[in-house]
Amino acid sequence: KGNIFDRRRFATGTQLSVRNTRTGNVLLKRYLFAEGTEWFDPNFGRTGGEDVDFFGRHLAKGRKFIWCDEAVAYEMILSERWQIKFHLKKYLRIGTLNGERLRKKGVKGIMAVVKTLVTAPVWFIGMLLFFPFGKHLWVRPVLKLSYSAGCILAYCGFSLIRERD
């Protein structure tokens, strides 16, 4: 009911930015995997983010990725991923990695961190308002708070969780 497994969809033909790319149910041309090129950076193996890095490198080369909304895929989700604890750690980890990335950007990363600082209280208020009405309503703000905490702390030099289980 909380829709935490739902992913954003786009109209067929939409050209994707790196923010909206993902490797689940993707069809790629073979030349992207030419011998001698690094497909996925092994440095991301335990942290995640290898797909964002992959698409970012190819978009920087001028390549385009186009959404096809008719290409629907279904997947089995392991029972341990049904737990809120799993998603809290995931969002904290992703926030941590983004906070570290923003810290490396210096001044350019400050605006993104300020945005996170401004939205965190909104997520907190949302969590409090939705709490009496059921988990399916308050889980989303809690996950956003977990992301925000990871991002802000990592930007300040405190990385709580970097690797996936």
Side-chain angles (χ1 to χ4, degrees):
K1 285 169 66 176
N3 299 322
I4 61 174
F5 294 107
D6 291 353
R7 305 290 297 269
R8 189 169 178 204
R9 295 172 67 174
F10 304 91
T12 294
T14 301
Q15 186 173 322
L16 301 176
S17 66
V18 71
R19 181 175 187 264
N20 296 312
T21 56
R22 51 188 181 245
T23 51
N25 192 31
V26 65
L27 181 64
L28 299 168
K29 293 195 176 193
R30 186 181 178 107
Y31 71 81
L32 294 175
F33 301 100
E35 286 194 40
T37 62
E38 187 172 75
W39 303 351
F40 295 98
D41 187 341
N43 292 322
F44 291 100
R46 295 287 303 145
T47 62
E50 63 275 11
D51 50 351
V52 174
D53 174 69
F54 172 84
F55 286 110
R57 284 186 283 122
H58 287 283
L59 286 165
K61 292 178 183 176
R63 297 196 171 115
K64 296 178 183 172
F65 297 95
I66 308 298
W67 184 269
C68 178
D69 202 52
E70 292 81 14
V72 178
Y74 299 94
E75 68 176 311
M76 297 295 293
I77 299 171
L78 301 173
S79 59
E80 57 264 17
R81 291 185 175 206
W82 300 350
Q83 307 299 316
I84 290 177
K85 179 175 81 171
F86 172 85
H87 293 280
L88 284 171
K89 287 175 72 175
K90 175 183 172 183
Y91 276 69
L92 183 62
R93 175 180 51 81
I94 293 169
T96 296
L97 297 171
N98 282 335
E100 289 174 353
R101 182 181 53 80
L102 293 171
R103 185 176 66 231
K104 289 176 185 172
K105 284 186 166 189
V107 175
K108 291 181 181 180
I110 290 175
M111 287 311 296
V113 174
V114 168
K115 179 183 171 190
T116 302
L117 278 167
V118 169
T119 58
V122 174
W123 294 120
F124 183 74
I125 292 167
M127 176 193 68
L128 294 176
L129 290 174
F130 292 134
F131 193 78
F133 303 105
K135 185 192 303 184
H136 66 288
L137 294 175
W138 59 256
V139 71
R140 177 85 49 175
V142 167
L143 295 176
K144 297 287 189 173
L145 276 172
S146 182
Y147 170 87
S148 298
C151 184
I152 293 164
L153 289 170
Y155 186 83
C156 294
F158 304 101
S159 297
L160 300 180
I161 182 170
R162 298 193 78 252
E163 295 186 351
R164 32 184 173 193
D165 292 335

